[in-house]
Amino acid sequence: MPRIVAHLDMDAFFAAIEERDTPAFRGLPLVVGADPRGGKGRGVAATSNYRARAYGIHSATPISVAWRLSEAARRAGKPPVTFVSVDMAKYARVSDAVLGIMRRFIPLVEPASIDEAYGDVSATGSYEEAERLCRELKQAIRTEQRLTASVGIGPNKLIAKIASGLRKPDGLTVVREAEAEAFLEPLSVRAIPGIGPKTERHLARQGIMLVRDLKTLGPARLEGLLGKRGVELYDKVRGLDSTPVETSFQPKSIGEQETFETDVRDSRLLVEQLAALSRDVIARLHREGLHRFRTIVLTVRFADFETKSRARTLARPAGEAVTLRREALKLLMPFLDRRDNPRRKAIRLLGLRVEQLDEGRQRNLYGQE
Ligand code: TTP
Ligand code: MG
């Protein structure tokens, strides 16, 4: 079964939502962003609709520049730009709704920004079926949200992402694995995610404009030109990318438990079991892409099924298995003597869980926001 990835990106997202919600805006050039204050405004455009893009106004255009371009259009007899302020809470709600629709069609969805997400559509079995599924998805977004999206389908995230940008708005572009390399060759180096305007200029000075030109360089030359990123580029310009589509769903807690073959009273054995559980919990934490926890919960079930839990929250997040084992041991001690186990009952099950998890670094969904 071939690996097939879809990338969905909403068209002129913030602007399309404002046009949808205010019919008077339709058909006019629209910019969502900072207040232009008659040309004196600071700040930038978050985005613009396609009519305002025709005036040269894009994401990150200074709002004062957008104002000037709008005035110039007005003088040329064209409609001036309508400026709208950013309503992030509204866009986040629409973003959630779109993701919800996407998850109905595709079980494995990875949000990538407020208006884009990857989906693993390998289970459709073929590019034809993947395309059909994505057409239905686009139609559902149109009917339920009255918004358009562009979708790219390819053998990996890299190709799918580039393909989704190719026929905007309302596009659907399919690039099969065998076509991927040729698909990239005539594109500007800017098409490769990670190559921004600065790198583009740097490469242009060496006469490198197209992906095809980048392919003439070996890994060492790429590294010399672009540093560490250059090495990754060697694969990318050949259409290769093995990053998996991952749900960035974050579990609230991660735990393991062990029911013993026979009930245990031997504290040395229990301490050993706890060390093994600590290692397993940390390993699972890492597999989820998480690295730190703050709360530790120990559960003990006695032979008679009476079940008790004790928890402790650390002053600061921790991440090591030794810390987890030490803290879990402190929680276990009272169960090993009369404090929490006055009748010295044998133990049937030990459970260990960590909560208040994080990745150990901050994730920023909106980039500049
Ligand atoms: P994009 O998908 O880059 O842009 P877009 O959806 O407006 O237009 P396109 O049809 O080309 O996809 O970004 C999504 C939203 O994120 C955009 O509507 C506004 C916001 N955004 C910013 O606030 N600042 C930025 O610099 C960019 C690039 C986007
Ligand atoms: Mg978009």
Side-chain angles (χ1 to χ4, degrees), residues 72-349:
R74 187 206 297 277
R75 286 193 297 275
K78 292 189 264 184
V81 169
T82 300
F83 290 90
V84 183
S85 60
V86 175
D87 182 352
M88 197 50 92
K90 174 157 83 171
Y91 313 144
R93 279 198 303 277
V94 180
S95 176
D96 284 347
V98 170
L99 277 174
I101 297 171
M102 194 168 170
R103 291 198 173 102
R104 282 195 337 244
F105 288 82
I106 305 171
L108 182 50
V109 169
E110 175 183 338
S113 83
I114 193 161
D115 87 326
E116 60 181 311
Y118 294 94
D120 191 318
V121 290
S122 308
T124 58
S126 71
Y127 280 89
E128 289 74 23
E129 285 304 312
E131 182 176 344
R132 189 151 71 192
L133 182 80
C134 291
R135 271 192 207 292
E136 284 177 27
L137 165 61
K138 271 161 59 81
Q139 188 52 47
I141 293 171
R142 186 197 308 278
T143 319
E144 294 172 38
Q145 286 294 320
R146 289 185 291 124
L147 294 169
T148 61
S150 294
V151 173
I153 298 173
N156 56 47
K157 288 165 91 172
L158 170 79
I159 298 295
K161 162 119 183 153
I162 297 172
S164 75
L166 219 67
R167 297 201 183 95
K168 266 180 166 293
D170 202 19
L172 179 62
T173 306
V174 182
V175 179
R176 289 167 169 73
E177 187 165 17
E179 307 157 350
E181 216 174 336
F183 161 75
L184 290 181
E185 280 187 354
L187 301 182
S188 151
V189 294
R190 266 302 282 286
I192 304 286
I195 298 194
K198 258 174 79 182
T199 311
E200 182 185 25
R201 282 195 296 276
H202 184 51
L203 290 170
R205 282 194 289 273
Q206 321 287 319
I208 299 161
M209 326 290 261
L210 305 181
V211 174
R212 179 184 292 123
D213 306 329
L214 269 176
K215 281 177 74 177
T216 62
L217 310 179
R221 181 82 203 288
L222 280 170
E223 190 175 7
L225 269 173
L226 301 171
K228 256 215 195 100
R229 284 184 313 143
V231 187
E232 294 160 27
L233 261 184
Y234 185 82
D235 280 343
K236 283 192 187 172
V237 298
R238 284 162 182 75
L240 302 173
D241 170 29
S242 57
T243 355
V245 177
E246 289 170 318
T247 51
S248 38
F249 167 73
Q250 282 201 3
K252 285 208 163 34
S253 72
I254 284 180
E256 293 282 354
Q257 56 180 46
E258 180 74 43
T259 302
F260 305 121
E261 296 286 347
T262 53
D263 302 340
V264 179
R265 232 184 227 100
D266 180 351
S267 44
R268 222 187 45 218
L269 208 66
L270 290 166
V271 169
E272 265 173 37
Q273 284 298 332
L274 202 59
L277 282 174
S278 304
R279 281 195 300 274
D280 293 350
V281 168
I282 294 292
R284 266 196 51 206
L285 191 69
H286 289 176
R287 257 182 278 139
E288 299 281 357
L290 299 166
H291 291 91
R292 300 194 304 183
F293 56 88
R294 262 193 76 192
T295 299
I296 299 134
V297 185
L298 179 84
T299 300
V300 170
R301 179 168 297 153
F302 295 104
D304 61 1
F305 279 83
E306 184 191 21
T307 305
K308 287 185 174 178
S309 288
R310 284 178 145 256
R312 179 177 146 72
T313 296
L314 305 173
R316 232 168 271 115
E320 281 80 17
V322 282
T323 313
L324 180 58
R325 194 185 61 198
R326 189 183 63 229
E327 295 301 330
L329 194 57
K330 286 189 207 159
L331 293 171
L332 178 67
M333 295 315 272
F335 292 110
L336 299 182
D337 59 40
R338 297 197 180 279
R339 278 174 290 174
D340 267 323
N341 187 6
R343 290 174 28 230
R344 303 287 290 120
K345 289 189 284 194
I347 290 174
R348 174 184 170 80
L349 167 150

Side-chain angles (χ1 to χ4, degrees), residues 13-62:
F13 190 49
F14 297 0
I17 295 171
E18 298 299 348
E19 281 185 61
R20 174 192 77 177
D21 294 350
T22 308
F25 293 162
R26 278 182 217 151
L28 296 175
L30 191 76
V31 168
V32 180
D35 183 347
R37 303 186 50 211
K40 294 197 209 62
R42 296 151 66 84
V44 298
T47 194
S48 50
N49 67 2
Y50 287 75
R51 280 195 174 73
R53 288 182 200 188
Y55 293 177
I57 307 169
H58 301 272
S59 291
T61 299

